[in-house]
Amino acid sequence: MSTSFMRSSDVKKKWILIDAEGLVLGRMAVIIANILRGKNKPYFTPNADCGDNVIVINADKIALTGKKLDAKKYYWHTGYPGGIKHRSMKQLMEEPRSDRMVKNAVKRMMSNGPLSRSILSKLKVYKGSEHPHGAQNPEILDVSKLNRKNSRKVSR
């Protein structure tokens, strides 16, 4: 018996809608990364794009567990001596582009390489509840019902 491998052109792609309101960021990012990669399908092929397109709405209403809102810091360096900078998660959520947190969390769940970079372009993240992808008829995935730990009350 031989193993069959799918090509990216042979895969039928769906659109999936996820409402991020009250969902835990890390748990949601794992589920999104698996859907984008196609690991939830029986014909997953590691070297091909087998995943679906994902739309995330209400990205500004995500939840964090523990004290991550104040304690978690993101560091970067400007390249100059003494140029290390940081921002807390609370500061990032108050910025106009707070939807980047979801995109970065999903990006960091995937491997680095050309395939993952092209797969990441299938992720569409929006701060509000409106999105321009109504014509694609996305299927709604309720992530909070997959596991009771996936959702939390948002306390800000």
Side-chain angles (χ1 to χ4, degrees), residues 103-115:
K103 201 159 205 167
N104 283 338
V106 174
K107 179 182 178 182
R108 291 169 183 160
M109 296 280 172
M110 300 174 79
S111 61
N112 294 328
L115 180 63

Side-chain angles (χ1 to χ4, degrees), residues 55-123:
I55 305 164
V56 179
I57 57 173
N58 293 325
D60 56 340
K61 298 176 184 171
I62 58 168
L64 299 166
T65 58
K67 298 179 182 178
K68 290 187 186 106
L69 197 61
D70 297 319
K72 188 173 178 79
K73 300 208 182 315
Y74 289 101
Y75 292 93
W76 72 94
H77 199 281
T78 62
Y80 290 98
I84 192 152
K85 307 234 180 216
H86 66 85
R87 281 200 188 123
S88 69
M89 188 69 94
K90 187 179 229 175
Q91 291 171 329
L92 286 175
M93 290 185 81
E94 293 169 354
E95 288 184 357
R97 295 291 310 266
S98 62
D99 54 338
R100 283 188 191 168
M101 282 193 313
V102 175
K103 201 159 205 167
N104 283 338
V106 174
K107 179 182 178 182
R108 291 169 183 160
M109 296 280 172
M110 300 174 79
S111 61
N112 294 328
L115 180 63
S116 291
R117 285 191 294 272
S118 68
I119 287 173
L120 201 60
S121 67
K122 298 186 306 180
L123 174 64

Side-chain angles (χ1 to χ4, degrees), residues 3-38:
T3 304
S4 63
F5 290 101
M6 296 293 286
R7 293 189 184 127
S8 297
S9 59
D10 298 337
V11 177
K12 192 172 183 184
K13 298 188 186 297
K14 299 184 297 186
W15 285 77
I16 296 175
L17 177 69
I18 296 176
D19 188 3
E21 186 172 358
L23 294 180
V24 177
L25 177 63
R27 289 178 170 272
M28 180 184 66
V30 170
I31 293 168
I32 292 171
N34 285 336
I35 292 170
L36 286 171
R37 190 84 163 87

Side-chain angles (χ1 to χ4, degrees), residues 12-17 52-57 121-122 124 126 130-140:
K12 192 172 183 184
K13 298 188 186 297
K14 299 184 297 186
W15 285 77
I16 296 175
L17 177 69
D52 297 324
N53 298 301
V54 177
I55 305 164
V56 179
I57 57 173
S121 67
K122 298 186 306 180
K124 312 295 181 193
Y126 299 100
E130 300 295 321
H131 64 88
H133 304 287
Q136 281 76 23
N137 297 324
E139 297 177 12
I140 298 172

